[in-house]
Amino acid sequence: MATLPFMSFVVMLLLFSTQISSDTDIITQFHSLHDGTTNTLVNGTFELGFFSPGSSTNRYVGIWFKNIPIKTVVWVANRDHPISDKSGILSITKEGNLVLFGKNGTTHWSTNITTKSSTSSFIARLLGTGNLVLNDEKENNGYDVYLWQSFDYPTDTFLPGMKVGWNLTSGLNRRLTAWNNWDDPSSGQITYGLIRSDIPETKIQNGSLVLYRSGPYNGLRFGATQKLKHVPLFILNFFYKKDEYYFTYQPRNQSILSRFVINQTVSALQILKWTEGKQRWMLHLNIPRDECDNYNRCSSFGICGMMGKSSMCECLSGFTPKSPQNWSVKDWSQGCVRSENWSCREKNKDGFIKFQNMKVPDTKISWINRSMTLKKCKTKCWENCSCTAYANSNIIEDGSGCILWFGDLLDLRQLPDSGQDLYVRSHTSEI
Ligand SMILES: *[C@@H]1O[C@H](CO)[C@@H](O)[C@H](O)[C@H]1NC(C)=O
Ligand SMILES: *[C@@H]1O[C@H](CO)[C@@H](O)[C@H](O)[C@H]1NC(C)=O
Ligand SMILES: *[C@@H]1O[C@H](CO)[C@@H](O)[C@H](O)[C@H]1NC(C)=O
Ligand SMILES: *[C@@H]1O[C@H](CO)[C@@H](O)[C@H](O)[C@H]1NC(C)=O
Ligand SMILES: *[C@@H]1O[C@H](CO)[C@@H](O)[C@H](O)[C@H]1NC(C)=O
Ligand SMILES: *[C@@H]1O[C@H](CO)[C@@H](O)[C@H](O)[C@H]1NC(C)=O
Ligand SMILES: *[C@@H]1O[C@H](CO)[C@@H](O)[C@H](O)[C@H]1NC(C)=O
Ligand SMILES: *[C@@H]1O[C@H](CO)[C@@H](O)[C@H](O)[C@H]1NC(C)=O
Ligand SMILES: *[C@@H]1O[C@H](CO)[C@@H](O)[C@H](O)[C@H]1NC(C)=O
Ligand SMILES: *[C@@H]1O[C@H](CO)[C@@H](O)[C@H](O)[C@H]1NC(C)=O
Ligand SMILES: *[C@@H]1O[C@H](CO)[C@@H](O)[C@H](O)[C@H]1NC(C)=O
């Protein structure tokens, strides 16, 4: 009978593989991860180990999806300090730092934490969410208080369970920074994150140059988000607290893999989902979505995508092109200026015009009060001659809160089926 030896072979194989996997479950001071071996950390759909991207021969420590045939890296430790050969060792020092050593013990990356005690009970584990975490096992502060976690230092990918945003106490800004190219994960110029402000909104930037902004969160969504025709893939939650603000996302269906990635090739944020049938990533959403999503496409007091207009850019009513000549040949870069008859706080020469379905202007020079009524908001704007517009900060139900804008109104667009009311100061007899 051939069955028996075969069975014992299977049992042996099982024993052997459990031994290996229990061996490689965690990293401790006494158990490192060596490049050039097949050792990796695995948990659920994620795997951590050494890899070389694309056609590069450089070695990096990274995390990728385990169960899909297309190697998709979601996090890189030493993105700016590659190791040129397979000498890498990921280890924990007696001070409790997770450190990546290269040849001759040179440090290529470190978690850089400072701990009080010097113990041997530090462990690094990969969680099922793809989060690499560092704990002191002896500290009885619970497993979800980490000394360090990779989710606090994203590379180019945003996953369910991660936060994008600020810890205002420590100044930690969790934002995405694109790979330079697909052979090189080093920090690129394109970033995606929340700006630090009383009125936080997300921006895609090239260095300090803004390429896209989402509009502030209005209680339901970031202002520029259009209503989706199909059932959304995920739910986005925004949190605004005293010491931190951030957003997270949750997939509606936990069994569908998804990711947000900032892609330098196209200077865009891409939301992708894995399709089991086709065995590939499908683009769910590309931001910016259209021409009008590009930052400040129609310049000061210009409005992009006005419904029922043939031209892409229009001046807000009460405003005229700064250079009619340039405007007529679709050079929008000079924007619009107030028509001459406006006079601050003068009856019949100053008032507010309501625009519906608006992505509200850039909040760079703005003021917010989250409990003020719209009526008081209007009065407050009227009183100050440099106030150019006002709107509710929250649009749930009848709306609440107050945002004031000062100076030029930038990056305005109209959205066919979302947005909100914006009141722009202008020459009008109706006040
Ligand atoms: C590593 O050590 C060897 C022998 O001491 C030396 O020849 C080599 O230059 C060192 N390499 C680096 C990268 O420091
Ligand atoms: C750790 O500190 C070193 C030296 O200050 C610095 O070069 C390195 O970028 C830091 N690493 C991380 C991951 O912040
Ligand atoms: C896998 O992740 C879960 C939580 O996501 C965690 O409780 C568990 O300890 C992890 N397993 C290992 C071996 O680290
Ligand atoms: C923010 O950072 C401070 C200081 O490092 C820390 O004590 C606090 O726990 C952090 N807050 C959150 C919500 O992570
Ligand atoms: C970012 O800006 C720099 C300098 O203005 C420019 O050279 C580069 O092409 C831009 N990169 C992208 C991806 O737009
Ligand atoms: C979740 O997605 C899986 C895989 O695509 C599918 O089989 C399942 O029906 C979905 N569940 C729900 C509740 O939609
Ligand atoms: C970046 O975006 C382009 C255009 O959608 C796509 O072809 C390319 O595969 C993307 N890069 C990655 C690594 O996803
Ligand atoms: C019109 O555009 C040209 C070329 O961009 C520029 O030099 C000129 O100053 C613009 N005219 C006005 C009035 O701004
Ligand atoms: C400005 O006011 C004058 C006199 O009241 C009027 O003739 C002119 O049409 C007005 N211009 C605009 C742009 O409203
Ligand atoms: C915000 O508005 C409320 C209601 O009008 C008012 O009581 C409060 O003093 C305002 N706060 C600030 C900082 O202006
Ligand atoms: C009007 O608002 C601006 C911007 O907040 C401020 O600098 C200025 O002092 C205000 N002027 C008056 C008269 O309140």
Side-chain angles (χ1 to χ4, degrees), residues 189-190 205-209 211 263-268:
Q189 289 156 319
I190 308 294
Q205 287 178 250
N206 175 2
S208 58
L209 188 76
L211 304 177
N263 178 331
Q264 180 143 306
T265 319
V266 291
S267 295

Side-chain angles (χ1 to χ4, degrees), residues 204 211-212 266-269 286-294:
I204 298 174
L211 304 177
Y212 166 86
V266 291
S267 295
L269 179 75
N286 191 79
I287 297 171
R289 282 185 230 218
D290 57 20
E291 188 68 24
C292 284
D293 257 356
N294 291 320

Side-chain angles (χ1 to χ4, degrees), residues 77 81 109-112 148 153:
H81 301 282
W109 175 83
S110 162
T111 51
N112 281 354
W148 179 92
Y153 303 91

